[in-house]
Amino acid sequence: MLRQAAVLVTPAMGAAAPPGVAPGEFLLALAEDTYEIVAGLDLVEPVILDAGIPGLDDIAWPGTRVLPVAEPGGLAAAFAALRPYGEEAVVISGDAPDLPPLLIGKLFRELGRAPVAVCPAEDGGAVAVAARLPYPEWAAGTLDDADVVAGLRGRAPGRRMVATGPGWHRLRSPADVARLDPGLEGWDNTRALLHAT
């Protein structure tokens, strides 16, 4: 089975830059750390979904697809970009630089019983959404919808069409940087940028 793990990077993700850190540099650091998570997964093809951010080609490993998406945060547009390249995919928000890879694996496992699976974000929205391709028309929405799970379940044509995995956090405001655990491996680019200020 062809599986893809795609990091969706949007301009709004730079808004979480703490004082003294350039939003553009912060956005690229978050995106690169999140991409490094998916690039290290076994049996999954890493992808970057670019909503108009300069420099994303520079953080990708050779051979990684960097696909444009016209609708920042829109799930239907993100999964449509991935459709020609696989049978299952997960779209991960680019502002989750310390996301444990295990949570991505759990989403793919949930696709064995439901066509859509969600890793909810702690303060609303979703960290990641996985789906069998083609993406269901009823599953429109964004990673930033206030209650992604309730919205998807409300539009689903039947019960048990939307599974959930464990939740995690995203960095959406400067205060969210405090969520990063210095003892947790990874998020090297974000860590280096924060320590440089």
Side-chain angles (χ1 to χ4, degrees):
M1 176 168 301
L2 297 173
R3 288 177 164 170
Q4 301 169 85
V7 177
L8 178 60
V9 187
T10 69
M13 293 174 182
V21 177
E25 288 183 39
F26 191 68
L27 185 153
L28 286 176
L30 294 179
E32 185 168 3
D33 286 336
T34 309
Y35 167 72
E36 292 287 337
I37 295 165
V38 303
L41 295 172
D42 292 330
L43 307 175
V44 174
E45 180 183 357
V47 178
I48 295 175
L49 297 173
D50 176 8
I53 309 297
L56 290 180
D57 286 317
D58 297 335
I59 68 171
W61 293 3
T64 296
R65 285 188 187 91
V66 179
L67 303 174
V69 288
E71 183 188 346
L75 292 170
F79 282 102
L82 300 170
R83 172 66 182 113
Y85 308 106
E87 300 165 61
E88 292 182 349
V90 59
V91 172
I92 301 137
S93 182
D95 54 7
D98 61 341
L99 179 68
L102 178 65
L103 297 188
I104 299 170
K106 287 180 183 264
L107 290 180
F108 279 121
R109 188 165 47 239
E110 291 294 337
L111 294 182
R113 65 182 187 91
V116 175
V118 180
C119 171
E122 290 177 356
D123 291 334
V127 176
V129 174
R132 298 179 205 149
L133 300 177
Y135 192 65
E137 290 184 15
W138 54 263
T142 76
L143 291 172
D144 294 319
D145 290 350
D147 192 337
V148 174
V149 175
L152 290 172
R153 286 182 173 159
R155 293 187 298 275
R159 297 181 61 195
R160 300 188 179 134
M161 301 287 282
V162 180
T164 58
W168 196 249
H169 52 258
R170 291 170 52 190
L171 305 186
R172 290 183 273 195
S173 74
D176 290 338
V177 171
R179 294 174 181 262
L180 295 168
D181 181 350
L184 197 64
E185 287 187 16
W187 60 279
D188 296 340
N189 298 287
T190 306
R191 189 189 316 257
L193 188 60
L194 292 173
H195 287 317
T197 58

